[in-house]
Amino acid sequence: MNWRKPLKEVAVLVVAALVAAVALQLTWPGAKTETLHGQVGSVKEMRVAAVGDSLTYGVGDATGSGGYVALLKADLVSAGDYDVSTTNYGHSGDTSSQIMKRVVEQKKLRADMKKANIITVTVGGNDLMHVLQNHFFDITSKDIATGNTAFQKRLAKLLTELRSLNADAPIYVFGIYNPFYVYFPQITAMEDSVKSWNKSTQQTIDGFKKIHYVDIDSVLSDGGMQDTTKSAKSSLEKAAEGDDDANPLIFDQDHFHPNNAGYAAMTKQLWTVMQDTAKEWE
């Protein structure tokens, strides 16, 4: 039997099939390559640098998260597409001089301040306490005024230093409050001192661009109570009886620092000011 003819015919068919396949590949419209574009917006990096005393550190925060700094981060995350990082340079007991010393000397602190989009500051409470302690039994308005003047000069130097490190970030400076107001409303010296220091602090801040005052005296000093006369009297009686709930915003273990609710109130005050100045940090 002659196998050459059938093999030749098969070979021709195979070649014809291959030619047809190639032709079809070249002429048939193929699948179009698509580039998929998602709808997720860009995430903006947001750096918050906080410096100050125990209020920045978060003494009284039962969660140990860092008081208002952690709460502010949560607010920013909820507000938009932000990748938020925070650095907390709070140190308990620091006066304005001690805060200034750290700002000048600590390299990492300075580096974080330079990179920050938002800077927050708590300062002044310990300065006032030192004045009151030094004149506890014979405090006069002159003593308060002298201490206030000295503090405002130190505050101005601190803000000048922070601004030299970062020319663009808005700086939010918390006022001070009187944690003893509810417990001892009859002691007017401290209440008057707090109000005068806060007023002077606002005037000092007015001399700077993109530095803003955050009022916390109005919410923390009376525990958020509206009828201060009756509430103060009732709270004083409760305090005398050992009731730790006399001021619901103050840490019941020291009757001085904010508790979790107090830090939430602080953050709300800060967030209100930040919303009014959002163009400076958004």
Side-chain angles (χ1 to χ4, degrees):
M1 182 177 181
N2 185 2
W3 293 95
R4 293 183 177 179
K5 185 175 180 180
L7 288 174
K8 186 177 180 180
E9 292 176 353
V10 171
V12 170
L13 290 174
V14 170
V15 171
L18 290 173
V19 171
V22 171
L24 185 63
Q25 181 84 16
L26 294 174
T27 58
W28 191 266
K32 184 179 179 181
T33 301
E34 294 286 351
T35 301
L36 300 179
H37 298 282
Q39 300 302 312
V40 178
S42 60
V43 177
K44 181 179 179 181
E45 186 175 19
M46 185 70 66
R47 296 188 180 98
V48 179
V51 66
D53 49 30
S54 56
L55 295 185
T56 293
Y57 181 81
V59 174
D61 175 6
T63 68
S65 302
Y68 79 84
V69 179
L71 295 176
L72 174 59
K73 178 178 180 178
D75 283 342
L76 285 168
V77 170
S78 299
D81 296 320
Y82 298 119
D83 179 14
V84 184
S85 61
T86 62
T87 51
N88 189 324
Y89 290 99
H91 189 273
S92 297
D94 269 11
T95 62
S96 54
S97 298
Q98 292 167 316
I99 296 171
M100 178 69 170
K101 188 174 187 295
R102 289 193 289 122
V103 170
V104 171
E105 296 180 355
Q106 294 184 8
K107 292 182 179 180
K108 188 176 186 307
L109 187 158
R110 294 176 67 82
D112 286 334
M113 291 296 161
K114 289 179 181 180
K115 295 183 295 184
N117 303 104
I118 298 168
I119 297 173
T120 64
V121 182
T122 59
V123 62
N126 292 311
D127 295 75
L128 175 56
M129 288 303 295
H130 282 195
V131 173
L132 294 174
Q133 289 169 358
N134 291 335
H135 305 277
F136 190 79
F137 295 106
D138 58 351
I139 190 75
T140 65
S141 58
K142 183 178 180 180
D143 296 325
I144 297 299
T146 300
N148 187 10
T149 299
F151 167 69
Q152 297 306 323
K153 290 180 180 179
R154 295 191 296 270
L155 175 62
K157 288 182 179 180
L158 174 61
L159 297 179
T160 298
E161 183 66 21
L162 290 173
R163 183 51 79 212
S164 72
L165 294 174
N166 191 320
D168 300 318
I171 301 175
Y172 298 92
V173 182
F174 287 89
I176 61 176
Y177 67 101
N178 177 8
F180 306 116
Y181 176 67
V182 168
Y183 301 101
F184 306 106
Q186 73 274 35
I187 301 178
T188 59
M190 186 168 183
E191 183 65 13
D192 293 341
S193 302
V194 166
K195 292 187 180 302
S196 64
W197 279 44
N198 282 336
K199 182 177 180 180
S200 297
T201 294
Q202 293 177 65
Q203 294 171 347
T204 298
I205 289 173
D206 286 343
F208 294 86
K209 292 183 178 180
K210 297 175 72 172
I211 299 184
H212 309 286
Y213 176 77
V214 180
D215 166 44
I216 58 175
D217 181 42
S218 63
V219 293
L220 291 184
S221 291
D222 64 5
M225 301 173 186
Q226 298 299 317
D227 186 352
T228 57
T229 302
K230 292 181 179 179
S231 297
K233 182 178 179 180
S234 174
S235 296
L236 182 60
E237 293 173 351
K238 289 180 180 180
E241 295 171 357
D243 190 335
D244 290 332
D245 296 326
N247 187 333
L249 302 183
I250 298 299
F251 190 39
D252 59 18
Q253 293 186 27
D254 63 14
H255 301 293
F256 188 87
H257 294 94
N259 56 21
N260 288 22
Y263 280 114
M266 281 182 64
T267 309
K268 182 178 180 181
Q269 295 294 97
L270 171 60
W271 188 243
T272 298
V273 179
M274 287 180 61
Q275 289 297 93
D276 291 338
T277 56
K279 291 182 179 180
E280 297 180 8
W281 55 266
E282 282 185 335

